[in-house]
Amino acid sequence: MSFEEENQGSVILRRTPEYQPPASWRTWLIGRPLQTADAPHQTIGKAIGLAVFASDALSSTAYATQEILMILAAAGTVAFGYVFPISIAIVILLAIVTLSYEQTIHAYPGGGGAYIVARDNIGDLPAQIAGASLLTDYVLTVSVSISSGVAQIVSAYPALFDYRVSIAVSLVILIMLINLRGVKESGITFSIPTYFFVIVMYLTVAIGLFRALTGTLGTVTNPPDMSVIHSLQGVTAFLIMHAFSSGTTALTGVEAISNGITAFKEPRSRNAGLTLIWMSIILGSLFLGISYLTREIGAIPSEYETVISQLVRTVFRSQGALYLTVITATTVILAMAANTAFADFPRLSALLAADGFLPRQLTYRGSRLVFSRGIILLALIAIALIALFNASVTRLIPLYAIGVFSSFTLSQFGMAHRWWKIGHLTPGQEIKERGSTLRYEQGWRLKMLINGFGSICTLVVTFVFAITKFRDGAYIVLIITPIVVFMFSSIHRHYVNLAKRLSLENYGSPPRVARHRVILPISGVHRGSLSALQYARTLSDDITALHVVIDPDEALKIQQKWERWGDGVRLVLLDSPYRLLAEPLLEYIEEIASRRQPNEIITIVVPQFVPQSWVHNLLHTNTALWLRLALLFRRGVVVTDVPYEVE
Amino acid sequence: MSFEEENQGSVILRRTPEYQPPASWRTWLIGRPLQTADAPHQTIGKAIGLAVFASDALSSTAYATQEILMILAAAGTVAFGYVFPISIAIVILLAIVTLSYEQTIHAYPGGGGAYIVARDNIGDLPAQIAGASLLTDYVLTVSVSISSGVAQIVSAYPALFDYRVSIAVSLVILIMLINLRGVKESGITFSIPTYFFVIVMYLTVAIGLFRALTGTLGTVTNPPDMSVIHSLQGVTAFLIMHAFSSGTTALTGVEAISNGITAFKEPRSRNAGLTLIWMSIILGSLFLGISYLTREIGAIPSEYETVISQLVRTVFRSQGALYLTVITATTVILAMAANTAFADFPRLSALLAADGFLPRQLTYRGSRLVFSRGIILLALIAIALIALFNASVTRLIPLYAIGVFSSFTLSQFGMAHRWWKIGHLTPGQEIKERGSTLRYEQGWRLKMLINGFGSICTLVVTFVFAITKFRDGAYIVLIITPIVVFMFSSIHRHYVNLAKRLSLENYGSPPRVARHRVILPISGVHRGSLSALQYARTLSDDITALHVVIDPDEALKIQQKWERWGDGVRLVLLDSPYRLLAEPLLEYIEEIASRRQPNEIITIVVPQFVPQSWVHNLLHTNTALWLRLALLFRRGVVVTDVPYEVE
């Protein structure tokens, strides 16, 4: 045994340093297991921080403009003119949210996700709503980003159109495996594709603007099918709001930095805050640029070719190497956005599980020190969504963003409430609340106003979103969120009750076992059943051997053999006219168990045949196994398997 | 409890007469359970006997001619002229086999299937070969008959062509359910469709022959696609032999009566023998008639329309009611042929299982007193074959019949050998052999010659079949049969060895248990683990509590709690740097088990959480359950589950 012994009151057996767990197929798939002590903790600077946390937010530029156009298309191409004003409104919203989150980052240097902020400042229910919204949204981040990534691939290689669901599912599985293996969040792996995307996208926008100004941009040649354009309805306020809602998906991912503050180098909050501002500036400018150019070239929203693809090939006037480079960079950043959700979802689930709102198993770190169960769970749900919605970004979008905006609202409302509390402290006074310490601060009124305004803005957007996109699919989220919250509280109640009932507070001592009663089911009289009888004898003198009579001739033989070998133990033959095996046994055991005395314990001693290999199991009825599964959850009955060995 | 007590040395608990097992979904599907005492035993006369046993044999007229044509098609339509001479040869073979089986029926009034005759007269290996061949063939009877039945349906309703696999699978499942419910072999249910088929088929042939003689028959209008016709090769001896092999499928099912002699009224053998002769006469005449007319009308073998369908619509000059009647009758008799296999396969498997060549479970009679496991097994294999061969009779045929002919050969060789032994007894002498008593008989030489000749003929056919159809698929059977035989003998060896090792012959008494050692794995210190500790105390004073350390803080708490509540029992903390749970436990247990003293027993007492409902299981790691499954088959280690109750 590769253990070293240590004595400290209890015996502690430590693994010897050279110990390695046995290799399995898992090792091959995701790498050799890591020790708990191996858990890395590195911090990152602003430049890498931007790369790590920005992919989710920046990647939304790949689909936000297109989704605005998709809605406007209902009023014909003439409505496309509204895309730029709508984009400006969205960028203003972005600025408000950024300012608001800036304050959260400084107030929560230990990480201020919406769940934590809501839990610490408003209460359990809002925290659970925030948690449910965020989990839903992480799932959608994966589904939408991967679907959009596949749409880029399909734009470049239209022959792959029919395989888009398979490609998307394979991508999710690939990202799942990478995450099960564990990705170091720091490092160059993240920086290269993010900065590459930013550079090529700025380049595209810059060249596009230059051409637009010089009048050489032109419009899209061979636009994709125009079947989405209807011009059946006029441009209404509802339509504009509807299009605006679709565009707000550009803001998804902005909260990422506030979740991950601890990853930054000191001064953490300052670094994280500056990174957030830079991210918003890049996001806002790219989004505006893309929306403007899209309008100029007359791009058509389509399931067959993305607006980005139309833009890029118009700007570069070809579908050559430059085009493929930009499309590849876009696809990669979309995959990385999905990857971010693979870090966030398991982390939040583990947090919720540790608080008792989700199954405890989600806190367990797998062989690679990642929350493997959360990772697998996320992949499964995202795959189901992709399959269900046929990897269509347009069909997934109505479900997306509503969660983000409700968590924005709750988090900022929590912050506003926090400032209010801080403002009502006397200077110098300190109060400790759950996760953080509150101390009087100058200028709390302005800060409260900023967070309060942000909260109101995002609340309004949440409502606009829910109303305009209700029929498109937002209702699904409005149904699912309460269900998830209800599940959270049911789970929580279960754990709390269980802990109470198992608690040793005010517990005297367990009832002494006064008397054993043993039941010994036998299928025949042979060496195996006699070993079990021997074992039963060590427990008690009150033993009943039990045989279910299916074949009366067989029963007669058993009766005769038992007389000789049964050591005087009582044999009960249970008639079974319908040739049932387990049922009469269970019925008899139930009967005995229901009449048991206090302090009496009923133990079923089951002779268990040990086959040489699993194949041999097929040659035996395995009554013992079925019986034990049936009795496993029977209260007050102890089940003992006595293996009998056949060499 | 619905038991009545009786005391006869042992206690016997009999079911009260009004007892009914609880209803389940099975009751709904296949009817209420039947008592063992309800097993029916009725005998049947010749007329019904013919109906019961003939469907398999007679139904082969639905495809035998077509399969001859399929082969001849390789040499073009000119080769179709050989269909009638080949059919005559097959009918001669039928006469020989019938004569030969006639003798078996009189020699084995208790039922003389090939397996029994080979087992009693030649030996275990030939018996196993016969058994394997018959089982294979019963499976193919189902696949071929159902596929042919579906081909008839498709001929009448060509739109169903694409659904033929689904239709065939549904039919197999339907017949499986009917058999799980249990069919009374006697009775009108069988007689009506069989006699109806015989009548309408004779009618068709008679009208056809009349028209042929009067020159008004004509040829098939709109024959199906002729893509099977090649005329690439000439008519060779090999081709004729090949076609002959395909036609021999007409003989499948002839052995049915010899398996079922006990079902007949006394004088059993006489009644069964006469029935066999009648069956052969009907089979032979219908087959000749169909083959002759097929040639006359110039029918084309096809996957899209059966030859029977072409014949019937040509004879009746329409596809109206008469046509549909004959096609329906043909489909029904084909389904009934499959049904026969559902009686034969489970019965033979049970026989083989009782002899220890197949898993014992196959002898178990289900709630409706039928060998339900054999029925389900047959359905599953037949469905797999149908799916694999796309419900194509032509592709299945090369696998069929080779099994029938090898079992014919073995059975008749067994009979010949039996006559030889009888001939070498002195008159009046009697010897008992396995199943039957041998007594000197007059005329044994002739009888030996008849069976010997039959055996040689069928042996030759077996070889012809194996050679000509080798590449078409017969090789599959030639590979599978030895594998099945090998499986039989492995299973047999296992049972014999096991019985020897468990036997109480020369067995003193089991070793006394001198000392218990208890290991108590705990995940925490709470009321549940303390109950388990209480239980462990009743077993032994040598108890080790075991906790696997994944979270060191948690372990510290457990250590402290154990000091207070652990009753002085030793606690071992098992370090698990890779966060594995079951593995270190198992390793520790293995280590202790390997050092155990003789007469020492190691018992693992596992505290088992009893959830209020199965859903709650999802909220717990269920380590206890996984641990017990891992230890279930560990020799020398007893596993005890102590449930702890949480109301």
Side-chain angles (χ1 to χ4, degrees):
Chain A
M1 218 169 36
S2 48
F3 281 109
E4 287 169 345
E5 198 165 322
E6 213 174 281
N7 254 297
Q8 309 185 341
S10 318
V11 179
I12 299 176
L13 294 178
R14 284 204 192 288
R15 284 291 185 192
T16 45
E18 66 275 15
Y19 169 80
Q20 277 280 326
S24 71
W25 57 272
R26 280 208 199 92
T27 314
W28 174 84
L29 203 61
I30 60 170
R32 64 167 190 82
L34 299 176
Q35 293 205 25
T36 312
D38 287 346
H41 196 80
Q42 299 160 271
T43 53
I44 53 180
K46 291 188 288 293
I48 289 176
L50 184 63
V52 167
F53 292 106
S55 60
D56 185 4
L58 297 184
S59 69
S60 31
T61 56
Y63 47 81
T65 307
Q66 168 166 334
E67 296 307 321
I68 297 174
L69 291 178
M70 273 287 183
I71 303 298
L72 294 176
T77 42
V78 70
F80 288 173
Y82 290 90
V83 68
F84 192 62
I86 289 173
S87 298
I88 290 175
I90 290 167
V91 170
I92 292 170
L93 184 63
L94 171 66
I96 296 166
V97 171
T98 303
L99 206 59
S100 194
Y101 264 97
E102 200 55 35
Q103 299 195 150
T104 309
I105 288 173
H106 284 91
Y108 279 86
Y115 171 69
I116 290 175
V117 173
R119 184 189 67 184
D120 290 0
N121 296 299
I122 331 184
D124 272 347
L125 186 64
Q128 288 173 39
I129 297 173
S133 306
L134 283 172
L135 288 183
T136 319
D137 245 61
Y138 291 144
V139 172
L140 282 156
T141 300
V142 177
S143 311
V144 169
S145 304
I146 292 295
S147 298
S148 176
V150 172
Q152 311 297 342
I153 298 175
V154 168
S155 302
Y157 302 100
L160 296 175
F161 186 77
D162 286 340
Y163 305 100
R164 61 201 191 286
V165 172
S166 317
I167 298 173
V169 169
S170 312
L171 274 175
V172 174
I173 291 172
L174 181 69
I175 296 174
M176 178 191 83
L177 286 178
I178 291 172
N179 279 278
L180 285 177
R181 184 175 269 273
V183 265
K184 298 247 184 309
E185 281 199 342
S186 58
I188 200 146
T189 24
F190 269 78
S191 311
I192 293 178
T194 308
Y195 283 111
F196 186 69
F197 171 76
V198 171
I199 291 166
V200 296
M201 215 32 122
Y202 267 130
L203 197 75
T204 310
V205 171
I207 297 176
L209 287 175
F210 175 78
R211 291 222 164 116
L213 289 174
T214 56
T216 58
L217 185 57
T219 54
V220 184
T221 51
N222 304 318
D225 83 309
M226 317 249 302
S227 60
V228 292
I229 321 280
H230 299 289
S231 44
L232 290 175
Q233 59 167 97
V235 178
T236 60
F238 185 86
L239 188 77
I240 300 290
M241 288 305 211
H242 197 177
F244 170 80
S245 299
S246 280
T248 55
T249 48
L251 268 69
T252 55
V254 167
E255 78 289 358
I257 291 178
S258 67
N259 288 327
I261 307 169
T262 48
F264 282 88
K265 285 214 175 82
E266 290 289 1
R268 278 188 205 167
S269 292
R270 205 185 113 81
N271 285 331
L274 287 172
T275 310
L276 173 62
I277 289 168
W278 272 108
M279 182 177 83
S280 294
I281 291 171
I282 299 172
L283 171 58
S285 54
L286 275 182
F287 178 54
L288 280 181
I290 291 169
S291 290
Y292 179 77
L293 290 172
T294 298
R295 170 78 197 104
E296 289 294 304
I297 63 165
I300 303 294
S302 160
E303 292 270 348
Y304 298 98
E305 188 183 2
T306 61
V307 161
I308 291 288
S309 166
Q310 295 173 48
L311 175 66
V312 177
R313 68 180 165 90
T314 309
V315 168
F316 294 121
R317 288 186 188 142
S318 87
Q319 284 196 267
L322 265 174
Y323 166 82
L324 282 180
T325 306
V326 183
I327 293 300
T328 307
T330 312
T331 309
V332 170
I333 196 121
L334 283 162
M336 284 177 55
N339 189 67
T340 315
F342 270 96
D344 292 336
F345 181 98
R347 200 182 338 182
L348 181 58
S349 324
L351 203 60
L352 281 160
D355 286 350
F357 293 113
L358 277 178
R360 288 272 157 81
Q361 291 96 305
L362 291 169
T363 62
Y364 175 79
R365 283 178 188 270
S367 70
R368 299 287 291 181
L369 283 167
V370 295
F371 298 114
S372 25
R373 287 157 195 189
I375 292 173
I376 293 168
L377 187 64
L378 172 61
L380 291 180
I381 310 176
I383 286 174
L385 273 180
I386 289 173
L388 211 61
F389 289 87
N390 220 357
S392 157
V393 177
T394 304
R395 292 177 58 199
L396 282 163
I397 281 287
L399 283 72
Y400 200 24
I402 191 164
V404 169
F405 279 92
S406 22
S407 67
F408 280 171
T409 307
L410 287 165
S411 141
Q412 290 170 112
F413 181 75
M415 286 303 296
H417 188 66
R418 185 188 156 94
W419 297 126
W420 188 84
K421 281 188 290 184
I422 283 177
H424 288 74
L425 294 175
T426 49
Q429 186 189 357
E430 268 189 21
I431 54 166
K432 274 197 187 296
E433 288 213 339
R434 295 227 197 174
S436 60
T437 311
L438 302 188
R439 213 176 278 110
Y440 181 79
E441 268 181 53
Q442 287 287 330
W444 62 271
R445 276 194 187 81
L446 179 65
K447 289 173 173 166
M448 186 176 79
L449 273 174
I450 291 173
N451 279 130
F453 182 66
S455 171
I456 290 163
C457 290
T458 50
L459 182 67
V460 170
V461 173
T462 309
F463 276 113
V464 168
F465 200 103
I467 294 164
T468 56
K469 298 208 158 272
F470 188 81
R471 287 180 56 187
D472 302 342
Y475 73 94
I476 299 176
V477 177
L478 296 178
I479 291 168
I480 284 178
T481 309
I483 293 175
V484 173
V485 170
F486 176 76
M487 189 187 75
F488 285 165
S489 55
S490 307
I491 292 175
H492 195 242
R493 205 166 41 243
H494 172 80
Y495 281 129
V496 169
N497 281 343
L498 186 64
K500 214 179 285 165
R501 286 180 206 283
L502 287 178
S503 158
L504 295 174
E505 301 250 354
N506 309 319
Y507 183 57
S509 82
R512 294 269 150 194
V513 177
R515 189 162 162 276
H516 275 284
R517 220 182 139 160
V518 176
I519 295 172
L520 176 71
I522 56 169
S523 60
V525 182
H526 50 61
R527 296 190 185 197
S529 41
L530 294 188
S531 317
L533 175 61
Q534 278 303 316
Y535 186 89
R537 278 227 168 275
T538 67
L539 298 183
S540 171
D541 289 327
D542 182 352
I543 306 176
T544 307
L546 206 57
H547 175 71
V548 177
V549 181
I550 288 178
D551 179 349
D553 299 342
E554 185 67 26
L556 196 68
K557 273 192 220 154
I558 286 175
Q559 215 178 337
Q560 286 161 355
K561 273 189 168 177
W562 193 257
E563 264 165 39
R564 175 160 171 218
W565 294 98
D567 220 1
V569 163
R570 190 170 85 124
L571 172 66
V572 170
L573 296 170
L574 269 180
D575 186 26
S576 180
Y578 293 94
R579 300 165 307 288
L580 298 167
L581 209 59
E583 288 80 355
L585 269 177
L586 290 176
E587 209 181 320
Y588 183 86
I589 290 165
E590 286 291 329
E591 167 73 13
I592 300 289
S594 67
R595 284 186 312 182
R596 78 185 161 110
Q597 308 286 317
N599 297 348
E600 187 181 63
I601 280 212
I602 296 177
T603 302
I604 319 291
V605 173
V606 187
Q608 172 75 52
F609 169 65
V610 179
Q612 282 158 290
S613 86
W614 69 268
V615 190
H616 289 163
N617 271 327
L618 301 176
L619 302 179
H620 298 269
T621 41
N622 297 311
T623 326
L625 188 58
W626 293 117
L627 189 66
R628 81 140 5 280
L629 284 175
L631 284 169
L632 200 55
F633 299 124
R634 176 62 181 82
R635 301 169 185 213
V637 175
V638 173
V639 181
T640 297
D641 290 312
V642 179
Y644 57 91
E645 308 171 33
V646 181
E647 294 291 319
Chain B
M1 220 169 34
S2 48
F3 281 108
E4 287 170 343
E5 199 165 323
E6 214 173 280
N7 253 297
Q8 311 183 341
S10 318
V11 179
I12 299 176
L13 295 178
R14 285 205 193 285
R15 285 291 185 192
T16 46
E18 66 274 16
Y19 170 80
Q20 277 280 327
S24 71
W25 56 273
R26 280 208 198 90
T27 313
W28 175 83
L29 204 61
I30 60 171
R32 63 167 191 84
L34 299 176
Q35 293 205 27
T36 312
D38 288 346
H41 197 79
Q42 298 159 270
T43 53
I44 52 180
K46 290 189 290 290
I48 290 177
L50 183 64
V52 169
F53 292 107
S55 62
D56 185 5
L58 296 184
S59 70
S60 32
T61 56
Y63 48 82
T65 306
Q66 168 166 335
E67 296 308 320
I68 299 175
L69 292 177
M70 272 287 184
I71 304 299
L72 293 176
T77 43
V78 69
F80 288 173
Y82 290 91
V83 68
F84 193 62
I86 290 173
S87 298
I88 291 175
I90 290 167
V91 170
I92 293 171
L93 184 64
L94 169 66
I96 296 167
V97 170
T98 303
L99 206 58
S100 196
Y101 264 95
E102 200 55 35
Q103 300 197 144
T104 309
I105 288 173
H106 284 91
Y108 278 86
Y115 171 68
I116 291 174
V117 173
R119 184 188 69 182
D120 290 1
N121 295 299
I122 333 185
D124 273 348
L125 186 63
Q128 288 174 38
I129 297 173
S133 307
L134 282 173
L135 288 182
T136 320
D137 247 59
Y138 291 144
V139 172
L140 283 156
T141 299
V142 177
S143 312
V144 169
S145 304
I146 291 296
S147 299
S148 176
V150 172
Q152 311 296 341
I153 298 174
V154 167
S155 302
Y157 303 99
L160 296 174
F161 185 77
D162 286 340
Y163 306 99
R164 60 199 192 288
V165 172
S166 318
I167 298 173
V169 169
S170 313
L171 274 176
V172 173
I173 291 173
L174 180 70
I175 296 175
M176 178 190 82
L177 287 178
I178 291 171
N179 279 277
L180 285 176
R181 185 174 267 273
V183 263
K184 298 245 183 316
E185 281 199 343
S186 57
I188 203 147
T189 26
F190 268 79
S191 310
I192 294 177
T194 308
Y195 283 111
F196 186 68
F197 171 77
V198 170
I199 291 165
V200 296
M201 214 32 124
Y202 266 129
L203 196 74
T204 310
V205 170
I207 297 177
L209 287 175
F210 175 78
R211 291 222 164 113
L213 289 174
T214 56
T216 58
L217 184 57
T219 55
V220 184
T221 50
N222 303 320
D225 83 311
M226 318 249 301
S227 61
V228 293
I229 320 279
H230 298 290
S231 44
L232 290 174
Q233 59 167 95
V235 178
T236 60
F238 184 87
L239 187 78
I240 299 291
M241 288 306 214
H242 197 178
F244 170 80
S245 300
S246 281
T248 55
T249 48
L251 269 68
T252 54
V254 167
E255 78 290 357
I257 292 178
S258 67
N259 289 327
I261 307 169
T262 48
F264 282 87
K265 285 212 174 85
E266 291 288 1
R268 279 187 203 167
S269 293
R270 204 185 112 81
N271 284 332
L274 286 172
T275 311
L276 174 62
I277 289 169
W278 272 108
M279 180 178 86
S280 293
I281 290 171
I282 298 172
L283 171 59
S285 53
L286 275 182
F287 178 54
L288 280 181
I290 291 168
S291 291
Y292 178 77
L293 289 172
T294 299
R295 172 78 198 105
E296 288 294 304
I297 63 164
I300 304 294
S302 161
E303 292 270 349
Y304 299 96
E305 188 184 2
T306 61
V307 162
I308 291 287
S309 165
Q310 296 174 47
L311 175 65
V312 178
R313 69 180 165 89
T314 310
V315 167
F316 293 121
R317 286 186 190 141
S318 87
Q319 285 195 265
L322 264 174
Y323 166 83
L324 283 179
T325 306
V326 183
I327 293 299
T328 306
T330 311
T331 308
V332 171
I333 195 123
L334 282 162
M336 284 176 57
N339 188 67
T340 316
F342 270 95
D344 291 337
F345 181 98
R347 197 181 340 181
L348 181 57
S349 322
L351 203 62
L352 281 160
D355 287 351
F357 292 113
L358 276 178
R360 288 270 158 82
Q361 292 97 303
L362 291 168
T363 61
Y364 175 79
R365 283 179 188 269
S367 69
R368 299 286 292 181
L369 283 167
V370 295
F371 298 114
S372 26
R373 288 157 193 189
I375 292 173
I376 293 168
L377 187 65
L378 171 61
L380 291 180
I381 310 177
I383 286 173
L385 273 181
I386 288 173
L388 211 63
F389 289 86
N390 221 357
S392 158
V393 177
T394 304
R395 290 176 59 199
L396 282 163
I397 281 288
L399 283 73
Y400 199 25
I402 192 165
V404 170
F405 278 92
S406 20
S407 68
F408 280 171
T409 306
L410 287 164
S411 141
Q412 291 170 111
F413 180 74
M415 285 304 294
H417 187 65
R418 183 188 157 94
W419 297 125
W420 187 84
K421 281 187 290 185
I422 284 177
H424 287 74
L425 295 173
T426 49
Q429 187 188 355
E430 270 190 19
I431 53 168
K432 274 197 189 295
E433 288 213 338
R434 296 225 196 177
S436 59
T437 312
L438 303 188
R439 213 177 279 109
Y440 181 78
E441 268 182 51
Q442 287 288 329
W444 62 272
R445 274 195 187 82
L446 178 65
K447 287 171 173 166
M448 185 176 81
L449 274 175
I450 291 173
N451 280 130
F453 181 66
S455 170
I456 290 164
C457 289
T458 51
L459 181 68
V460 170
V461 173
T462 310
F463 276 112
V464 168
F465 199 104
I467 294 165
T468 56
K469 299 209 156 271
F470 188 82
R471 288 179 56 188
D472 301 340
Y475 73 94
I476 299 175
V477 177
L478 296 177
I479 292 168
I480 284 177
T481 309
I483 293 175
V484 173
V485 170
F486 177 76
M487 189 187 75
F488 285 165
S489 55
S490 307
I491 291 174
H492 195 242
R493 205 166 40 243
H494 171 80
Y495 282 130
V496 170
N497 281 342
L498 185 65
K500 215 180 283 166
R501 285 178 208 285
L502 287 178
S503 159
L504 295 174
E505 300 250 354
N506 308 319
Y507 184 56
S509 82
R512 293 269 149 193
V513 176
R515 190 163 163 276
H516 277 284
R517 222 184 138 159
V518 176
I519 296 173
L520 175 71
I522 57 169
S523 61
V525 182
H526 49 62
R527 296 190 186 197
S529 40
L530 294 189
S531 318
L533 175 62
Q534 278 304 316
Y535 187 89
R537 278 229 168 275
T538 67
L539 297 183
S540 171
D541 290 327
D542 183 352
I543 306 176
T544 307
L546 207 58
H547 175 71
V548 177
V549 182
I550 288 179
D551 178 349
D553 299 340
E554 185 65 25
L556 197 68
K557 271 190 222 155
I558 286 175
Q559 216 177 337
Q560 286 161 354
K561 273 191 169 176
W562 193 256
E563 264 164 41
R564 174 159 173 222
W565 294 96
D567 218 2
V569 163
R570 188 170 88 123
L571 172 67
V572 170
L573 296 169
L574 268 180
D575 186 26
S576 181
Y578 294 94
R579 301 164 307 288
L580 299 168
L581 207 62
E583 288 79 355
L585 269 177
L586 289 175
E587 210 180 320
Y588 183 84
I589 290 165
E590 287 290 327
E591 168 73 12
I592 300 290
S594 68
R595 286 186 311 184
R596 80 185 159 111
Q597 310 286 314
N599 298 348
E600 188 181 62
I601 279 211
I602 296 175
T603 301
I604 319 292
V605 173
V606 186
Q608 170 76 51
F609 169 66
V610 180
Q612 281 158 290
S613 87
W614 69 267
V615 190
H616 289 163
N617 271 326
L618 301 176
L619 302 178
H620 297 270
T621 42
N622 297 312
T623 327
L625 188 59
W626 292 117
L627 188 66
R628 81 140 7 278
L629 282 175
L631 284 169
L632 200 56
F633 299 123
R634 175 64 180 79
R635 301 169 187 214
V637 174
V638 173
V639 181
T640 296
D641 291 311
V642 180
Y644 57 91
E645 308 170 34
V646 181
E647 294 291 319

